[in-house]
Amino acid sequence: MKQLEIYHIDAFTDVSFGGNPAGVIPEAGSLTTEEMQKIAGELNLPESVFLLPPSRPDADYRVRYFTPTEEINFCGHATVALSWLLAEKYGYLEKGDRVALETNVGLVPVEWIIENNRLARVSMTQLPPRTQEIDISIERVAELVGIHPGDVDDRYPIRLGSTGNWHLFVPVRTRSAIDSATPQLKELGRMNKELQVSTTHLFTFDMHGEFDLYTRDFAPAIGIAEDPVTGAANGALAGYLYLEGILPEMEQTRLKVGQGHAIGRPGTLYITVTPQETAPRIEVAGSAVITIEGLITIR
């Protein structure tokens, strides 16, 4: 019989029951892959993250991420949740101001941001962004995500983008169109599997000052109808905006992104895009709240 500490942590929010919930298992070294997947299925949260000893010398820990149905290479909100837990419960603020996490796609550095002598946010540096063109019509995309073709914002290209996981980005003219989207989840999931993308990510600049961007994310291909607030997808979105020339090429850009409001789990992400010689640095930051802590028993 095994008993392990387990946490339910809401990420990209500073209030309970907002943002995106993640399961966090901080001492998972004794677990098999099958056990990790079963725990993620039992928790039935968008993603669960498992902390393991590192396999490379430049990492403090290895992490693995699971949806209720499969392992994925990277998850932003679960990384924020885990890093918040390390600081708040495991004394890492006394050991330093950052930690290096080994993921399936590479090393992800995480920094703790302190304001007024308390932990304010966790900031992770994602992998260098990439984009790919995609041959798909506006009409087909609109049909799959459940909006009118006229709601697709043709000022910006429909593209695939990644900072670890691949996503399909769909520009939308208004926040109201995003909020009213009713995707064909089965068909969308099938297309995402064909494209080998994790999620379809809708975004708009139609915010009138509340945020810089507003987004919504559908992930039926990996067992999640809608992911409330997505660190990986929004980080990749920032990379897409830079690589497509929508953000300034030679100056740092800070973005405040809202997501989750359409499904009653509002969250906020703070993204910094810093131009560099080879590729921009994408940093995604947010706060978190530990809502449940306890033990899980495996017999």
Side-chain angles (χ1 to χ4, degrees):
M1 182 179 74
K2 300 177 186 177
Q3 279 197 325
L4 301 169
E5 289 186 352
I6 194 165
Y7 295 85
H8 178 299
I9 300 176
D10 295 329
F12 296 120
T13 181
D14 56 7
V15 296
S16 299
F17 318 123
N20 200 352
V24 181
I25 297 82
E27 297 178 1
S30 65
L31 295 174
T32 65
T33 297
E34 181 182 8
E35 288 171 331
M36 293 182 205
Q37 185 62 75
K38 287 183 175 179
I39 290 172
E42 185 78 5
L43 293 176
N44 199 33
L45 297 170
E47 282 89 9
S48 294
V49 57
F50 297 81
L51 195 66
L52 306 157
S55 64
R56 49 189 284 181
D58 54 350
D60 296 296
Y61 292 102
R62 182 185 177 206
V63 291
R64 295 178 69 181
Y65 308 95
F66 292 80
T67 76
T69 61
E70 64 183 75
E71 184 173 8
I72 59 173
N73 288 328
F74 177 66
C75 174
H77 88 274
T79 301
V80 168
L82 168 64
S83 304
W84 192 273
L85 179 71
L86 291 176
E88 291 283 277
K89 290 287 187 178
Y90 286 80
Y92 265 75
L93 287 181
E94 300 171 3
K95 301 178 183 180
D97 61 358
R98 63 192 65 220
V99 66
L101 301 177
E102 174 192 353
T103 75
N104 286 350
V105 291
L107 199 68
V108 175
V110 179
E111 180 181 358
W112 292 290
I113 299 172
I114 307 299
E115 295 179 357
N116 299 320
N117 296 317
R118 61 184 296 272
L119 180 61
R121 288 184 301 278
V122 169
S123 179
M124 57 185 160
T125 300
Q126 298 186 359
L127 270 64
R130 295 178 288 164
T131 60
Q132 288 184 11
E133 294 186 4
I134 177 174
D135 183 16
I136 191 170
S137 70
I138 286 177
E139 290 74 18
R140 180 57 173 158
V141 168
E143 178 186 17
L144 289 173
V145 301
I147 62 177
H148 190 275
D151 290 325
V152 178
D153 194 340
D154 59 7
R155 294 174 297 174
Y156 310 109
I158 297 170
R159 289 282 190 270
L160 305 182
S162 172
T163 50
N165 299 330
W166 284 96
H167 308 270
L168 172 62
F169 294 119
V170 181
V172 182
R173 292 189 180 277
T174 65
R175 173 175 173 171
S176 61
I178 288 183
D179 282 340
S180 62
T182 53
Q184 298 181 23
L185 291 173
K186 186 175 180 180
E187 290 296 318
L188 184 61
R190 183 178 297 116
M191 184 189 71
N192 282 358
K193 281 187 176 293
E194 291 173 356
L195 295 174
Q196 297 184 318
V197 302
S198 295
T199 77
T200 294
H201 200 64
L202 281 59
F203 72 93
T204 185
F205 288 99
D206 176 43
M207 290 311 305
H208 309 292
E210 183 181 1
F211 301 104
D212 299 300
L213 287 161
Y214 179 74
T215 66
R216 202 169 168 196
D217 193 82
F218 302 107
I222 57 173
I224 307 164
E226 181 168 353
D227 210 5
V229 191
T230 52
N234 283 302
L237 172 62
Y240 150 91
L241 294 173
Y242 181 88
L243 294 176
E244 294 297 328
I246 301 164
L247 297 182
E249 181 181 358
M250 301 303 294
E251 62 186 65
Q252 187 181 77
T253 301
R254 297 183 185 274
L255 299 168
K256 183 179 179 182
V257 183
Q259 191 184 341
H261 301 67
I263 55 173
R265 296 199 67 102
T268 304
L269 309 93
Y270 300 89
I271 302 178
T272 304
V273 182
T274 304
Q276 297 183 130
E277 185 173 342
T278 56
R281 185 173 71 248
I282 308 295
E283 298 168 278
V284 179
S287 55
V289 177
I290 300 170
T291 53
I292 302 172
E293 50 187 294
L295 297 173
I296 189 166
T297 301
I298 304 175
R299 297 184 183 276

